[in-house]
Every structure is written in C-alpha cells, then in structure tokens.
Amino acid sequence: MENQENQNTEGKSFFQSTTAKMIMVGLLTLFLLIPLLFVQDLIQERSQRKSEMINEVSELWGKDIIFYGPILRIPYNTFENYNVTDTKTGVTTIQKKATTNYAYFFPNELSSNSNVKKNESLKRGIFNHVVFTADMNFKGNFTAPYFSKLNIAPETIQWDKASIIVKTTNLKSIKSELKIQLNNEKLSFEPQNNDKSEYSILATNIFDYKQLASNDKINFNFGITYNGSNSIKFIPIGKVTNVAIDSDWKSPSFEGSFAANDATKTISATGFHVDWKVLDINRTFSQQYTNVLPDLDDYQFGVKLIETVDEYQQNERVSKYGFLVIGLTFLIFFLIQSISKINIHIFQYSMIGIALIMFYTLLISITEHSSFSFAYAISGTAVVAMITIYSISILKNRKFPLFIATSLTVLYTFIYVIIQMEDYALLVGSIGLFFILAAVMYFSRKIDWSK
C-alpha cells in the first residue's frame, strides 16, 4: 500500500516537472504547425485565384507590348531558268520564271517617345489588377536602300511597290487609328497574315519609293496607342535608336540587352523617366535583309511595370515566421510559469496557439479589402489584445500580461519591419534573433532546470 502511494507520488511529480511541461509545450508547438501549413495553402490558393484573374484581365485588356519596326520593304524579282521542249518539233528552249522576293531595310534614325499611364479601374470581384495605356510616338528616316550589299541587280527592283511594315504584339489592343506620315504623303496600316509567331504584322499600301523619296531619304512620323500590361519593350533596329518613356508608375524594372541612361533616369513616388540610346555598333545585326526578317528578340530592351511585393507575397513571407512567433510566445509563457510558479494548463497553451494562428487568417482576409499595412495593424492589435486579456485571467495579475503584450507587440513590429525590407532583411533579421536569444538567456538564467 505504501509502495503504491510512493509510485503515484513519483508519477505525479514527473508530469508536473519542468521537463515534462517543456516536452508538452514543444509537442504542442509542432502540432500547431499543421494549421499553419493550412494557412499557407490558403494564401497560395488566393494568390492562384489572383493570377487567374490577372491572366483574364490581361487577355481582355492587353498583354506585353513588343515593338519591332518600322521597316522599309521593297520587292524584287529573281529568275530561274528551265528547259521547255516542244512535243511536235522536239526543239528545247530555255525560259525564265520570275519569282517575287522582298528586301527589308531598317531605319537610319529611329526615335520613340512614350507616355504610359496606369489604369486601376479594372476589377474582378475583390481583385484589382493594374494595367496601363501607352501613347507611343515614332519618328525617324530611311536613307537610300543599299541593294548592292544584298547582291540584287538594279533592274530587278520594283521601286513602285514599296511599303512600310511593323511587327508588334498585342495587335487587338491598339486603340488608335494607325497612319504613318512619309515625307508629304500619309498612308494607313493594315493587318497582314503573320508568320505564326507571337508578332502580328501591319503594312501600308504600296507606294513608289523613288517618287516619294526626297534626295533618297524618307522621313516618317506616326503615333500609336496601346492598352497593355506588365511590360513595354523595343527592338533597336535604327542605325541610331533613341527611346524615352515617361510614366506615373512608381515601381519600374528596366530590362533587356541595353542599359538605360543613368544620367537622365529618374524614379520617384509619382512616376519615372528613362531613356536609351543604342547605336548600330552596339549590336551585331545588319541594316538590310532579304526574304525573311531576322529574329531579334535577344536584343529587346524596355521596362517592366511591376508590383514590388504584392499582398499575397507579403502574407506568405509573414506566415513563414509563424513557427518563430508561436515558439517565442510559448517560451515567454513558459518562462513566466517557471519564474512565478503559476501553473498554466496545456489547454490554455492551446488556446493561445490558436489565437496566434488566427492572426494569419485575419491578415489575409482583411488585406484583400484594404492595404497590407492596415490589415497587419488590425490583425496584430486584435490578437495581442485577445492574448493579453486571456493571460490576465491565467496569471491572476497585470504585471506579466503587460510584459506579454509588450513582447508580442515588439515581435510583430520586428517581423513587419523585416518583410518591408529587401536589401537588409537578412541582416536585420539576424541581429534581431541574436537579441531575442540574448533576452531568453538572461531571463532564464535563474531557473532551476533540474526540477
């Protein structure tokens, strides 16, 4: 009988020991990773829905803009000899078969000025995708076509059937009448059958080059308005190509094979200005071609209009700190429990953990209807207030709950600062974790862990 009582006493003392409580709190922390993973899945699901909406809106409004042109196209004839035998006389004669091919000539000078304005009016449910309208103006000139470099005989050239062509994406989203001024004549562009690539082809009516050219030179000038999204890019086919873009977009990313002019580039909260100058010696393709235009996509340059970090990326980054928040919060309660000798039941730890998980569901749901910063402040305040009020009933005083509220506020503020940073996030995070570890070591130094 006495032995049985001693065994019960020993069993009771173990489950009430510091070691047993640490094990249970640790297991609970690991268990709470399961709903945290569900929260991360929810964020990915909502992000996927937004991506589907973006694709839908972009398909209707307009996608990326890539501009390749204008290009002077002049046809010429090639002749192929073949034998024809008269069946009655048996006499064989040589005849010529003419085939029409095309020579393509890039501009001598090409300048483009674009004004890009964002449009936030498109909305699908709770999602609002930002697109833009681009007013683009082009001017420049063509000099005398260099047919001799292409080994084309002058007598085969069809000067009276010249035309100007443009290759571009996003043809269905052009929102302006497209006409080009060639010296003193204005011509309209019409769509042509494309070459089954991502580009569509626009071509003018034919004109007589020699009649239109002044001193073997044709000046051109035209404008075009696009609805687009994501990016605007150009191919520098001019012997000298100048491109300038002004926009009210505050988060551009300059991309492509050529760097923008750092001396004139400006980016502010109200928009940006950028320009490029590309010379023919800066790229490795010729100014004239026959039969087929070259694929010059490797020479694209321009601007991508991006959201630096959208709300779902921010939510995902915050959720990755969930294990840290739960672990540190439980550690604070555990230290208070060990120092003050106040008993906290595992059920109470569970309620606190669920409240911490609720922060992330509140954050993502409020973010979808407001800004991330506002949602973070509301969610953080609500969870900190709930845990503080709950801890007053657990700890039976106001000193420790005040410490808990302060600690959680500092922790959530620390995480918010980290996710707003890009270049210094790792540095600030590492320093912050170092100080957190130092604080834990300081407050736990007098605890007798052997009990």
Side-chain angles (χ1 to χ4, degrees), residues 260-295:
N261 188 344
D262 284 333
T264 58
K265 180 173 63 178
T266 59
I267 304 174
S268 67
T270 58
F272 70 87
H273 168 83
V274 64
D275 56 65
W276 292 262
K277 183 175 183 178
V278 183
L279 306 177
D280 60 337
I281 59 174
N282 301 140
R283 56 353 180 241
T284 57
F285 58 85
S286 175
Q287 289 296 108
Q288 52 274 317
Y289 290 89
T290 57
N291 300 326
V292 179
L293 282 169
D295 181 358

Side-chain angles (χ1 to χ4, degrees), residues 108-127:
N108 184 59
E109 296 179 357
L110 174 60
S111 297
S112 171
N113 289 278
S114 301
N115 191 292
V116 182
K117 294 184 178 180
K118 62 183 177 181
N119 187 317
E120 301 183 61
S121 62
L122 297 183
K123 194 170 184 179
R124 291 292 186 274
I126 61 173
F127 302 112

Side-chain angles (χ1 to χ4, degrees), residues 113-117 133-137 232 244-248:
N113 289 278
S114 301
N115 191 292
V116 182
K117 294 184 178 180
T133 298
D135 292 318
M136 306 167 67
N137 292 286
I232 300 175
I245 301 176
D246 291 279
S247 176
D248 57 356

Side-chain angles (χ1 to χ4, degrees), residues 324 327-328 331-332 335 410-411 414 428-445 449:
L324 176 66
L328 288 176
L331 182 60
I332 292 171
L335 291 176
V410 171
L411 181 59
F414 170 65
V428 174
S430 300
I431 294 173
L433 290 176
F434 176 82
F435 282 110
I436 289 172
L437 177 61
V440 172
M441 294 173 68
Y442 175 80
F443 287 110
S444 63
R445 71 191 188 282
W449 299 102

Side-chain angles (χ1 to χ4, degrees), residues 293-312:
L293 282 169
D295 181 358
L296 302 179
D297 284 351
D298 290 340
Y299 298 92
Q300 292 179 11
F301 68 92
V303 60
K304 185 175 183 180
L305 306 173
I306 60 173
E307 297 178 30
T308 49
V309 180
D310 70 18
E311 64 271 23
Y312 293 109

Side-chain angles (χ1 to χ4, degrees), residues 87-339:
T87 56
K88 293 183 180 180
T89 63
V91 177
T92 300
T93 58
I94 298 176
Q95 296 186 7
K96 292 183 177 182
K97 181 181 179 181
T99 303
T100 300
N101 292 309
Y102 291 93
Y104 299 92
F105 301 92
F106 293 156
N108 184 59
E109 296 179 357
L110 174 60
S111 297
S112 171
N113 289 278
S114 301
N115 191 292
V116 182
K117 294 184 178 180
K118 62 183 177 181
N119 187 317
E120 301 183 61
S121 62
L122 297 183
K123 194 170 184 179
R124 291 292 186 274
I126 61 173
F127 302 112
N128 187 21
H129 178 40
V130 181
V131 293
F132 61 81
T133 298
D135 292 318
M136 306 167 67
N137 292 286
F138 299 86
K139 65 179 180 178
N141 59 71
F142 294 98
T143 53
Y146 201 178
F147 277 97
S148 59
K149 193 171 184 178
L150 299 174
N151 296 319
I152 296 174
E155 62 273 11
T156 65
I157 302 170
Q158 302 179 37
W159 294 102
D160 59 337
K161 294 183 180 179
S163 60
I164 303 294
I165 67 169
V166 164
K167 296 183 71 175
T168 182
T169 58
N170 212 23
L171 189 63
K172 71 176 185 179
S173 296
I174 295 176
K175 298 303 177 184
S176 63
E177 186 180 11
L178 191 53
K179 293 185 177 182
I180 185 170
Q181 183 78 34
L182 299 177
N183 285 348
N184 296 322
E185 187 171 344
K186 182 173 286 189
L187 300 175
S188 296
F189 281 101
E190 294 181 357
Q192 306 250 312
N193 293 330
N194 64 19
D195 52 4
K196 296 184 180 180
S197 69
E198 62 177 324
Y199 292 97
S200 298
I201 298 176
L202 297 170
T204 64
N205 297 329
I206 60 174
F207 60 90
D208 191 323
Y209 177 87
K210 288 190 173 182
Q211 182 179 348
L212 186 62
S214 174
N215 297 322
D216 287 327
K217 184 178 180 181
I218 292 181
N219 295 312
F220 63 82
N221 186 1
F222 67 98
I224 183 171
T225 299
Y226 278 103
N227 285 343
S229 59
N230 193 47
S231 68
I232 300 175
K233 293 182 180 178
F234 302 86
I235 296 178
I237 62 173
K239 196 168 185 180
V240 178
T241 302
N242 291 285
V243 172
I245 301 176
D246 291 279
S247 176
D248 57 356
W249 206 288
K250 64 180 180 180
S251 56
S253 174
F254 306 118
E255 300 182 336
S257 300
F258 304 96
N261 188 344
D262 284 333
T264 58
K265 180 173 63 178
T266 59
I267 304 174
S268 67
T270 58
F272 70 87
H273 168 83
V274 64
D275 56 65
W276 292 262
K277 183 175 183 178
V278 183
L279 306 177
D280 60 337
I281 59 174
N282 301 140
R283 56 353 180 241
T284 57
F285 58 85
S286 175
Q287 289 296 108
Q288 52 274 317
Y289 290 89
T290 57
N291 300 326
V292 179
L293 282 169
D295 181 358
L296 302 179
D297 284 351
D298 290 340
Y299 298 92
Q300 292 179 11
F301 68 92
V303 60
K304 185 175 183 180
L305 306 173
I306 60 173
E307 297 178 30
T308 49
V309 180
D310 70 18
E311 64 271 23
Y312 293 109
Q313 289 176 322
Q314 290 176 314
N315 274 270
E316 184 177 2
R317 290 176 63 184
V318 170
S319 69
K320 290 179 180 179
Y321 291 96
F323 179 75
L324 176 66
V325 173
I326 295 171
L328 288 176
T329 303
F330 282 177
L331 182 60
I332 292 171
F333 275 93
F334 184 79
L335 291 176
I336 292 174
Q337 174 182 347
S338 301
I339 294 171

